[in-house]
Amino acid sequence: MHQFDCRYIIQIGDVGAHTQTSLFNDAEDAKSSSAVFDFFFG
Amino acid sequence: MTIEEIGIAVEQFAEAARRVRETGADGVEITASKGYMIQQFLNPGINRRRDQYGGSVDNRFRFLEEVVVATRKKIGPDYPLGIRLSAADYNYLPLNLRLPIRFPLRHWYFGNTIEENLYYAKKLKALGVDYLHIDKGYGFINPKGNPGSFPVHEAKMFYNANRHLSFKAWARSVLANSVPEFILHPLINIGWKDTPAISADDARRFRDEVGLPVIANGGDRP
């Protein structure tokens, strides 16, 4: 990016497609502040 | 999450930010919106903890506060640090399918309002955050995050792609594919509007009342 004279920031904390489409689930995927059943987003 | 797991997560955020600086990027932004982990602590409809990380407004902020402090320590005082923060949670949009129901009901139904998030933003400024990226709503995808109508077919592809990860993901996929679209569309399109610059007004309020540079989220969708 800098070669094209562009500045950029990197966003962290968004699990994104890597987690959502992984072949197997990991225990970390289910971590949350509380154990709430959230059908739509959880 | 246990207290130990919270400590590990805080350290992981800070380490990730350190690696961002190491790559040569010009800054790092921490996602405290979109329904991911940090917003799950901030949102009173989701955070039902009874320890120092849940309950009061300040307790719910503690996790983000620890992440910001640990991150700043790792990246140094001179490196641009932003927070992507939701202006308000709108837990009721498009469908509040969260159980058990939380009391007081306003926590379950609305989540944090703009007043609570303005309070968080002022605390973030005091912690040395350089800018805010103002998002809207809770969860991804949600009606306040993007203008337009609910991307039903794209969502179905997403649900299908991750249906193997859990029973709930499988059930969500089955429902999305089996409910006729003339029923599905009006249900999950609740709250979606063709409003350009959907979070601009709230972002302006954060800029004026908090005094930090602000990026607004949610432009036009083609």
Side-chain angles (χ1 to χ4, degrees), chain B residues 169-206:
Chain B
W170 172 83
R172 191 170 59 180
S173 171
V174 169
L175 264 178
N177 286 287
S178 57
V179 174
E181 291 203 351
F182 73 91
I183 297 173
L184 192 67
H185 278 228
L187 270 181
I188 56 180
N189 264 304
I190 295 169
W192 288 77
K193 287 176 183 166
D194 281 302
T195 308
I198 193 164
S199 60
D201 289 346
D202 288 339
R204 195 171 293 117
R205 201 171 154 193
F206 275 79

Short mmCIF file of all heavy atoms in Angstrom, two decimals, chain B residues 169-206:
data_model
loop_
_atom_site.label_atom_id
_atom_site.label_comp_id
_atom_site.label_asym_id
_atom_site.label_seq_id
_atom_site.Cartn_x
_atom_site.Cartn_y
_atom_site.Cartn_z
N ALA B 169 -26.31 -23.27 14.10
CA ALA B 169 -26.01 -22.81 12.74
C ALA B 169 -26.74 -23.66 11.71
O ALA B 169 -27.23 -23.15 10.69
CB ALA B 169 -24.50 -22.85 12.49
N TRP B 170 -26.83 -24.95 11.99
CA TRP B 170 -27.56 -25.85 11.09
C TRP B 170 -29.05 -25.50 11.08
O TRP B 170 -29.69 -25.41 10.01
CB TRP B 170 -27.34 -27.30 11.54
CG TRP B 170 -28.20 -28.28 10.81
CD1 TRP B 170 -27.95 -28.83 9.59
CD2 TRP B 170 -29.45 -28.83 11.26
NE1 TRP B 170 -28.97 -29.69 9.24
CE2 TRP B 170 -29.90 -29.71 10.25
CE3 TRP B 170 -30.22 -28.66 12.40
CZ2 TRP B 170 -31.10 -30.41 10.36
CZ3 TRP B 170 -31.42 -29.36 12.52
CH2 TRP B 170 -31.84 -30.23 11.49
N ALA B 171 -29.62 -25.30 12.29
CA ALA B 171 -31.05 -24.98 12.39
C ALA B 171 -31.36 -23.66 11.69
O ALA B 171 -32.39 -23.52 11.02
CB ALA B 171 -31.45 -24.92 13.87
N ARG B 172 -30.47 -22.68 11.83
CA ARG B 172 -30.66 -21.37 11.19
C ARG B 172 -30.68 -21.52 9.67
O ARG B 172 -31.49 -20.91 8.98
CB ARG B 172 -29.53 -20.43 11.63
CG ARG B 172 -29.73 -18.99 11.27
CD ARG B 172 -28.71 -18.12 11.93
NE ARG B 172 -27.33 -18.46 11.59
CZ ARG B 172 -26.27 -17.83 12.04
NH1 ARG B 172 -26.41 -16.83 12.89
NH2 ARG B 172 -25.06 -18.18 11.68
N SER B 173 -29.78 -22.38 9.18
CA SER B 173 -29.72 -22.61 7.74
C SER B 173 -30.98 -23.30 7.24
O SER B 173 -31.56 -22.92 6.20
CB SER B 173 -28.48 -23.45 7.43
OG SER B 173 -28.49 -23.87 6.11
N VAL B 174 -31.43 -24.31 7.98
CA VAL B 174 -32.63 -25.04 7.58
C VAL B 174 -33.84 -24.10 7.55
O VAL B 174 -34.62 -24.10 6.60
CB VAL B 174 -32.90 -26.22 8.56
CG1 VAL B 174 -34.29 -26.80 8.32
CG2 VAL B 174 -31.83 -27.29 8.39
N LEU B 175 -33.96 -23.26 8.58
CA LEU B 175 -35.09 -22.32 8.63
C LEU B 175 -35.03 -21.33 7.47
O LEU B 175 -36.05 -21.08 6.80
CB LEU B 175 -35.06 -21.55 9.95
CG LEU B 175 -35.93 -22.10 11.07
CD1 LEU B 175 -35.75 -21.24 12.33
CD2 LEU B 175 -37.41 -22.10 10.67
N ALA B 176 -33.85 -20.77 7.23
CA ALA B 176 -33.72 -19.77 6.18
C ALA B 176 -34.07 -20.34 4.82
O ALA B 176 -34.59 -19.63 3.95
CB ALA B 176 -32.30 -19.21 6.16
N ASN B 177 -33.78 -21.63 4.63
CA ASN B 177 -34.06 -22.24 3.33
C ASN B 177 -35.47 -22.80 3.21
O ASN B 177 -35.96 -22.99 2.10
CB ASN B 177 -33.05 -23.36 3.06
CG ASN B 177 -31.68 -22.81 2.71
OD1 ASN B 177 -31.48 -22.28 1.62
ND2 ASN B 177 -30.74 -22.89 3.64
N SER B 178 -36.11 -23.10 4.35
CA SER B 178 -37.41 -23.75 4.27
C SER B 178 -38.58 -22.76 4.41
O SER B 178 -39.68 -23.05 3.93
CB SER B 178 -37.53 -24.86 5.33
OG SER B 178 -37.29 -24.32 6.60
N VAL B 179 -38.34 -21.61 5.06
CA VAL B 179 -39.43 -20.63 5.18
C VAL B 179 -39.58 -19.92 3.83
O VAL B 179 -38.59 -19.41 3.29
CB VAL B 179 -39.11 -19.60 6.29
CG1 VAL B 179 -40.17 -18.50 6.31
CG2 VAL B 179 -39.03 -20.30 7.63
N PRO B 180 -40.77 -19.88 3.28
CA PRO B 180 -40.99 -19.20 1.99
C PRO B 180 -40.54 -17.74 2.06
O PRO B 180 -40.71 -17.09 3.10
CB PRO B 180 -42.50 -19.30 1.78
CG PRO B 180 -42.94 -20.40 2.66
CD PRO B 180 -42.01 -20.46 3.82
N GLU B 181 -40.00 -17.26 0.96
CA GLU B 181 -39.42 -15.92 0.99
C GLU B 181 -40.46 -14.83 1.22
O GLU B 181 -40.12 -13.78 1.76
CB GLU B 181 -38.63 -15.66 -0.30
CG GLU B 181 -37.38 -16.52 -0.36
CD GLU B 181 -36.29 -15.97 -1.25
OE1 GLU B 181 -36.56 -14.98 -1.97
OE2 GLU B 181 -35.19 -16.54 -1.26
N PHE B 182 -41.72 -15.06 0.85
CA PHE B 182 -42.73 -14.01 1.10
C PHE B 182 -43.02 -13.88 2.60
O PHE B 182 -43.59 -12.89 3.03
CB PHE B 182 -44.01 -14.26 0.28
CG PHE B 182 -44.87 -15.39 0.78
CD1 PHE B 182 -45.89 -15.18 1.69
CD2 PHE B 182 -44.65 -16.68 0.32
CE1 PHE B 182 -46.69 -16.21 2.14
CE2 PHE B 182 -45.45 -17.74 0.77
CZ PHE B 182 -46.46 -17.51 1.68
N ILE B 183 -42.62 -14.87 3.37
CA ILE B 183 -42.71 -14.74 4.84
C ILE B 183 -41.37 -14.26 5.40
O ILE B 183 -41.31 -13.38 6.26
CB ILE B 183 -43.09 -16.10 5.47
CG1 ILE B 183 -44.46 -16.55 4.99
CG2 ILE B 183 -43.05 -16.02 7.00
CD1 ILE B 183 -44.84 -17.95 5.43
N LEU B 184 -40.29 -14.83 4.90
CA LEU B 184 -38.95 -14.52 5.41
C LEU B 184 -38.59 -13.04 5.19
O LEU B 184 -38.09 -12.37 6.10
CB LEU B 184 -37.92 -15.42 4.72
CG LEU B 184 -36.51 -15.43 5.30
CD1 LEU B 184 -36.52 -16.07 6.69
CD2 LEU B 184 -35.56 -16.21 4.39
N HIS B 185 -38.88 -12.53 3.99
CA HIS B 185 -38.48 -11.17 3.64
C HIS B 185 -39.06 -10.12 4.60
O HIS B 185 -38.30 -9.34 5.17
CB HIS B 185 -38.89 -10.83 2.20
CG HIS B 185 -37.91 -11.35 1.19
ND1 HIS B 185 -37.41 -10.58 0.17
CD2 HIS B 185 -37.33 -12.55 1.06
CE1 HIS B 185 -36.56 -11.30 -0.54
NE2 HIS B 185 -36.51 -12.51 -0.04
N PRO B 186 -40.39 -10.09 4.79
CA PRO B 186 -40.91 -9.05 5.68
C PRO B 186 -40.42 -9.21 7.12
O PRO B 186 -40.26 -8.20 7.82
CB PRO B 186 -42.44 -9.24 5.62
CG PRO B 186 -42.71 -10.36 4.70
CD PRO B 186 -41.42 -10.88 4.15
N LEU B 187 -40.13 -10.44 7.54
CA LEU B 187 -39.68 -10.65 8.92
C LEU B 187 -38.29 -10.07 9.15
O LEU B 187 -38.07 -9.28 10.06
CB LEU B 187 -39.65 -12.15 9.24
CG LEU B 187 -40.93 -12.75 9.82
CD1 LEU B 187 -40.71 -14.23 10.09
CD2 LEU B 187 -41.32 -12.03 11.11
N ILE B 188 -37.32 -10.50 8.32
CA ILE B 188 -35.95 -10.08 8.59
C ILE B 188 -35.62 -8.73 7.94
O ILE B 188 -34.52 -8.23 8.13
CB ILE B 188 -34.92 -11.15 8.17
CG1 ILE B 188 -35.07 -11.52 6.71
CG2 ILE B 188 -35.03 -12.36 9.04
CD1 ILE B 188 -34.08 -12.57 6.27
N ASN B 189 -36.58 -8.15 7.22
CA ASN B 189 -36.36 -6.81 6.68
C ASN B 189 -36.84 -5.72 7.63
O ASN B 189 -36.79 -4.53 7.27
CB ASN B 189 -37.05 -6.65 5.33
CG ASN B 189 -36.07 -6.91 4.19
OD1 ASN B 189 -35.03 -6.28 4.13
ND2 ASN B 189 -36.37 -7.85 3.34
N ILE B 190 -37.26 -6.11 8.83
CA ILE B 190 -37.73 -5.10 9.78
C ILE B 190 -36.58 -4.14 10.11
O ILE B 190 -35.50 -4.58 10.50
CB ILE B 190 -38.25 -5.77 11.08
CG1 ILE B 190 -39.48 -6.62 10.77
CG2 ILE B 190 -38.56 -4.73 12.14
CD1 ILE B 190 -39.91 -7.52 11.92
N GLY B 191 -36.85 -2.86 9.92
CA GLY B 191 -35.86 -1.84 10.30
C GLY B 191 -34.90 -1.44 9.20
O GLY B 191 -34.20 -0.44 9.32
N TRP B 192 -34.85 -2.22 8.12
CA TRP B 192 -33.93 -1.86 7.03
C TRP B 192 -34.53 -0.74 6.19
O TRP B 192 -35.69 -0.81 5.80
CB TRP B 192 -33.63 -3.06 6.13
CG TRP B 192 -32.75 -4.07 6.78
CD1 TRP B 192 -33.12 -4.98 7.71
CD2 TRP B 192 -31.36 -4.27 6.57
NE1 TRP B 192 -32.04 -5.74 8.09
CE2 TRP B 192 -30.94 -5.33 7.40
CE3 TRP B 192 -30.40 -3.66 5.75
CZ2 TRP B 192 -29.63 -5.79 7.45
CZ3 TRP B 192 -29.09 -4.12 5.78
CH2 TRP B 192 -28.72 -5.16 6.63
N LYS B 193 -33.73 0.30 5.92
CA LYS B 193 -34.24 1.45 5.16
C LYS B 193 -33.19 1.93 4.17
O LYS B 193 -31.99 1.79 4.41
CB LYS B 193 -34.57 2.61 6.11
CG LYS B 193 -35.82 2.37 6.93
CD LYS B 193 -36.04 3.51 7.90
CE LYS B 193 -37.26 3.19 8.74
NZ LYS B 193 -37.36 4.04 9.91
N ASP B 194 -33.67 2.49 3.07
CA ASP B 194 -32.76 3.11 2.11
C ASP B 194 -32.43 4.51 2.56
O ASP B 194 -32.98 5.48 2.06
CB ASP B 194 -33.39 3.11 0.71
CG ASP B 194 -33.27 1.76 0.06
OD1 ASP B 194 -32.13 1.28 -0.09
OD2 ASP B 194 -34.30 1.18 -0.31
N THR B 195 -31.57 4.60 3.55
CA THR B 195 -31.19 5.90 4.09
C THR B 195 -29.69 6.11 3.85
O THR B 195 -28.87 5.50 4.53
CB THR B 195 -31.48 5.97 5.60
OG1 THR B 195 -32.83 5.58 5.80
CG2 THR B 195 -31.24 7.35 6.15
N PRO B 196 -29.32 6.96 2.90
CA PRO B 196 -27.89 7.19 2.67
C PRO B 196 -27.22 7.74 3.93
O PRO B 196 -27.86 8.43 4.73
CB PRO B 196 -27.88 8.23 1.55
CG PRO B 196 -29.21 8.14 0.91
CD PRO B 196 -30.16 7.73 1.99
N ALA B 197 -25.96 7.42 4.09
CA ALA B 197 -25.17 7.90 5.25
C ALA B 197 -25.90 7.62 6.55
O ALA B 197 -26.17 8.50 7.35
CB ALA B 197 -24.87 9.39 5.09
N ILE B 198 -26.21 6.37 6.75
CA ILE B 198 -27.15 5.96 7.79
C ILE B 198 -26.70 6.34 9.21
O ILE B 198 -27.52 6.60 10.08
CB ILE B 198 -27.42 4.45 7.65
CG1 ILE B 198 -28.62 4.03 8.48
CG2 ILE B 198 -26.21 3.62 7.99
CD1 ILE B 198 -29.15 2.67 8.08
N SER B 199 -25.39 6.40 9.45
CA SER B 199 -24.95 6.73 10.81
C SER B 199 -24.33 8.13 10.89
O SER B 199 -23.70 8.47 11.89
CB SER B 199 -23.94 5.68 11.30
OG SER B 199 -22.82 5.65 10.45
N ALA B 200 -24.51 8.94 9.85
CA ALA B 200 -23.84 10.25 9.80
C ALA B 200 -24.29 11.17 10.93
O ALA B 200 -23.47 11.86 11.54
CB ALA B 200 -24.08 10.91 8.44
N ASP B 201 -25.61 11.20 11.22
CA ASP B 201 -26.09 12.11 12.26
C ASP B 201 -25.52 11.74 13.63
O ASP B 201 -25.09 12.61 14.40
CB ASP B 201 -27.63 12.09 12.31
CG ASP B 201 -28.23 12.77 11.10
OD1 ASP B 201 -27.48 13.46 10.39
OD2 ASP B 201 -29.43 12.58 10.85
N ASP B 202 -25.51 10.45 13.92
CA ASP B 202 -24.95 10.02 15.20
C ASP B 202 -23.46 10.29 15.25
O ASP B 202 -22.92 10.70 16.28
CB ASP B 202 -25.22 8.52 15.42
CG ASP B 202 -26.69 8.26 15.72
OD1 ASP B 202 -27.38 9.22 16.13
OD2 ASP B 202 -27.14 7.13 15.53
N ALA B 203 -22.77 10.02 14.13
CA ALA B 203 -21.32 10.25 14.09
C ALA B 203 -21.00 11.72 14.37
O ALA B 203 -20.07 12.05 15.10
CB ALA B 203 -20.77 9.83 12.74
N ARG B 204 -21.83 12.61 13.81
CA ARG B 204 -21.63 14.04 14.03
C ARG B 204 -21.79 14.38 15.51
O ARG B 204 -21.03 15.16 16.07
CB ARG B 204 -22.64 14.82 13.19
CG ARG B 204 -22.31 16.29 13.05
CD ARG B 204 -23.20 16.98 12.03
NE ARG B 204 -22.96 16.52 10.68
CZ ARG B 204 -23.87 15.88 9.92
NH1 ARG B 204 -25.07 15.62 10.40
NH2 ARG B 204 -23.58 15.50 8.69
N ARG B 205 -22.76 13.73 16.14
CA ARG B 205 -22.97 13.99 17.57
C ARG B 205 -21.77 13.53 18.41
O ARG B 205 -21.36 14.20 19.34
CB ARG B 205 -24.25 13.24 18.01
CG ARG B 205 -24.82 13.83 19.25
CD ARG B 205 -26.17 13.29 19.59
NE ARG B 205 -26.34 13.44 21.04
CZ ARG B 205 -27.28 12.86 21.74
NH1 ARG B 205 -28.17 12.11 21.15
NH2 ARG B 205 -27.34 13.05 23.04
N PHE B 206 -21.20 12.38 18.02
CA PHE B 206 -20.00 11.91 18.73
C PHE B 206 -18.84 12.89 18.53
O PHE B 206 -18.11 13.19 19.46
CB PHE B 206 -19.61 10.51 18.24
CG PHE B 206 -20.34 9.41 18.94
CD1 PHE B 206 -21.64 9.09 18.59
CD2 PHE B 206 -19.74 8.69 19.96
CE1 PHE B 206 -22.33 8.08 19.24
CE2 PHE B 206 -20.43 7.67 20.62
CZ PHE B 206 -21.72 7.37 20.25
#
